[in-house]
Amino acid sequence: MPDMSASLALTHLVPLAKEVDENKVTPGVLGFIVFAVMALAVWGLMKSMNKHMQKVDFKESAQTGADSKAPAAEPKS
């Protein structure tokens, strides 16, 4: 039965395709779906980036421990 429904659907879509102006190109449903998926992906990436940027500490902390006690290198002359 799946072959019957597929061929039946195809016979109904063929006349619709003939009515479309052959000189006019439109993105159609597939173009909308691709655009919507891309928009959702960008939204998800922006949300993830915002979450990660909130974890970043932009203030420079004072050096502690062995780093601050190490002598500075003397300039060579």
Side-chain angles (χ1 to χ4, degrees):
M1 283 293 182
D3 289 328
M4 292 283 281
S5 62
S7 63
L8 184 61
L10 187 58
T11 56
H12 286 297
L13 290 176
V14 169
L16 291 175
K18 296 288 184 188
E19 294 174 7
V20 175
D21 184 12
E22 293 180 8
N23 295 326
K24 184 178 179 183
V25 179
T26 61
V29 176
L30 180 62
F32 175 75
I33 291 171
V34 169
F35 181 78
V37 168
M38 289 175 59
L40 286 173
V42 168
W43 177 77
L45 286 170
M46 292 294 287
K47 189 172 182 178
S48 175
M49 184 184 71
N50 191 24
K51 182 195 286 187
H52 286 283
M53 290 298 285
Q54 287 178 355
K55 292 180 184 178
V56 175
D57 183 21
F58 289 104
K59 295 179 183 174
E60 187 174 336
S61 60
Q63 291 182 350
T64 59
D67 292 338
S68 62
K69 293 180 182 177
E74 293 180 18
K76 296 180 182 179
S77 51

